[in-house]
Amino acid sequence: MLTKAADTWKTVADKGIPVAPIIKFGKSQGKATEVYSRFCGYSIDFYDYFLNKEAFVKSGALWEMFEKRNKIIAQIKDQKDSYILHGHPHSRNFTVEYIEKDYFNECKNINEISWNKEKIIFDPVEYLKNKEKFEMVVRLIDWDMADTLPKNK
């Protein structure tokens, strides 16, 4: 049986809201469930604080990241039947990866796209060189404090 946090993560993933893809569930013990995922890219904080932002600002990529982050937050808040609580949706828990557009367009649910090192990259410099080739994907990770509460009808 999944804990509340793991169950909330799975619910959000099944709805197609971009989160860290769930590869498999492990043991549940007490209030914790082991959840296996994969690296999903550097955090928005990395881009905002550590990367030379000038190229990202000029290209509009930095603003695109924040727009995609805000869209995820809106999608989570806009659930009809429940309140989804992530617990700590700060910029360190939003990651960025770049998926080749043809590969990206093949998937129906972003969380079910198969890992392919030829099609998914994390290098922001490569992305800026070939922006027309890639789709920027922002994901919300770190669902250990998540919960779902029913809405009063």
Side-chain angles (χ1 to χ4, degrees), residues 1 10 15 19 29 31 63 77 82 93 101 124 146 150:
M1 183 169 170
K10 182 180 180 335
K15 291 181 180 197
V19 296
Q29 208 169 7
K31 294 184 177 183
W63 308 123
K77 287 182 179 179
S82 61
N93 282 336
K101 286 187 179 180

Side-chain angles (χ1 to χ4, degrees), residues 4 8 29 42 50 74 86 95 107 112 120 123 129:
K4 284 185 179 185
T8 299
Q29 208 169 7
Y42 302 107
F50 301 111
H86 176 270
T95 61
C107 74
E112 294 173 359
I120 302 171
D123 183 349
K129 287 181 190 173

Side-chain angles (χ1 to χ4, degrees), residues 45-126:
D45 262 10
F46 169 80
Y47 288 91
D48 200 24
Y49 294 109
F50 301 111
L51 192 68
N52 176 353
K53 291 193 294 188
E54 188 174 332
F56 262 75
V57 171
K58 285 182 179 176
S59 72
L62 190 63
W63 308 123
E64 184 181 352
M65 279 180 214
F66 285 108
E67 287 173 4
K68 289 180 182 248
R69 178 202 62 187
N70 293 343
K71 182 178 178 187
I72 293 170
I73 292 169
Q75 287 175 303
I76 289 171
K77 287 182 179 179
D78 196 33
Q79 299 302 304
K80 292 179 173 63
D81 54 351
S82 61
Y83 294 104
I84 306 256
L85 308 171
H86 176 270
H88 47 130
H90 49 72
S91 292
R92 289 184 309 277
N93 282 336
F94 286 89
T95 61
V96 183
E97 63 190 26
Y98 311 100
I99 302 174
E100 282 189 11
K101 286 187 179 180
D102 291 341
Y103 192 60
F104 176 83
N105 290 330
E106 290 174 8
C107 74
K108 291 181 171 58
N109 180 332
I110 188 63
N111 301 311
E112 294 173 359
I113 196 165
S114 298
W115 168 250
N116 182 327
K117 68 180 181 178
E118 307 297 321
K119 308 283 184 183
I120 302 171
I121 66 168
F122 306 105
D123 183 349
V125 175
E126 184 68 26

Side-chain angles (χ1 to χ4, degrees), residues 15-27:
K15 291 181 180 197
I17 297 170
V19 296
I22 298 168
I23 295 171
K24 73 176 189 172
F25 291 103
K27 294 182 268 178

